[in-house]
Amino acid sequence: ARTGAERPFVFPSVCPVCATPVERDTEKAVVRCPNRSCPAKLRERILHYASRLAADIEGLGEKLVDTLLAAGLVSDIAALYDLTVEAVAALPRLGTVSAKNIIEAIARSRQIPLNRFIYALGIRHVGERTARALATHCGTLDRFLALTQSESGAIPDVGIETAQSVFAFLSDEEERALVRRLQVRGVVP
């Protein structure tokens, strides 16, 4: 079905949202924005955390996340637990009843199985099955946070690339600080 008018795809050199130079994985056809503060990455991280298979925060969809970000009410996933009914009710197209339901859904997500919490963190290469394997092996969040790369690589369903991603996440002080902020806000995996 080719007509000869096709053009080769040119990967962007900068993130289309924050204009940070992108990083290209030479082994895969993918480019990624390395900016932790990129609004698009923050949006997607919040949506992933709130998804049904993760923290399962009912009512926290794309439109509400966009509204929360635009209002400056959330700066990371831990900030979701700082939201109040009053702050959410003051947003456009949201009333007190809707705000109360959203805050209650966020509060319910504080009690979360360890495997869903690990999945919710959005660690690269860690899907539901791998998160379940990590949670089964570790049993507790503290034990998960203490995993070494070689130990995680020895867990069934965790390959070398995934073990490297888990270790990189656990070695990243900003990610560990995020987990601590979640714990301080009462998230108990």
Side-chain angles (χ1 to χ4, degrees):
R2 295 183 185 264
T3 65
E6 297 82 18
R7 292 176 292 160
F9 181 81
V10 178
F11 283 98
S13 59
V14 297
C15 173
V17 175
C18 70
T20 301
V22 297
E23 294 176 349
R24 180 157 188 197
D25 186 337
T26 57
E27 296 178 18
K28 298 179 180 148
V30 65
V31 293
R32 289 189 173 87
C33 176
N35 179 5
R36 290 178 190 264
S37 303
C38 176
K41 286 179 73 169
L42 174 59
R43 176 186 189 270
E44 294 306 314
R45 189 162 196 188
I46 292 169
L47 287 169
H48 176 75
Y49 183 83
S51 68
R52 185 178 58 82
L53 298 172
D56 193 20
I57 303 175
E58 191 175 336
L60 192 59
E62 292 182 10
K63 288 182 182 178
L64 181 55
V65 169
D66 290 341
T67 303
L68 291 169
L69 289 169
L73 293 177
V74 291
S75 56
D76 63 17
I77 57 177
L80 293 170
Y81 297 97
D82 295 333
L83 292 172
T84 63
V85 172
E86 296 77 20
V88 175
L91 296 171
R93 296 186 305 267
L94 283 167
T96 305
V97 173
S98 296
K100 184 178 177 205
N101 290 340
I102 291 162
I103 297 302
E104 287 173 358
I106 291 170
R108 283 191 302 272
S109 74
R110 283 186 168 98
Q111 298 294 319
I112 181 173
L114 181 59
N115 62 308
R116 286 183 36 204
F117 180 75
I118 292 170
Y119 176 70
L121 291 173
I123 303 168
R124 188 173 293 157
H125 306 298
V126 176
E128 297 169 67
R129 184 176 177 171
T130 303
R132 194 174 313 113
L134 290 165
T136 300
H137 176 80
C138 297
T140 67
L141 179 59
D142 289 336
R143 181 72 189 93
F144 171 71
L145 293 173
L147 267 180
T148 64
Q149 184 172 341
S150 59
E151 183 183 1
S152 62
I155 300 170
D157 294 326
V158 179
I160 294 169
E161 191 173 8
T162 303
Q164 290 170 341
S165 289
V166 170
F167 184 70
F169 180 90
L170 296 174
S171 299
D172 187 320
E173 196 48 48
E174 287 186 45
E175 297 293 3
R176 293 180 77 83
L178 174 64
V179 172
R180 285 191 295 274
R181 287 193 304 276
L182 287 164
Q183 289 178 299
V184 165
R185 286 160 176 82
V187 177
V188 183

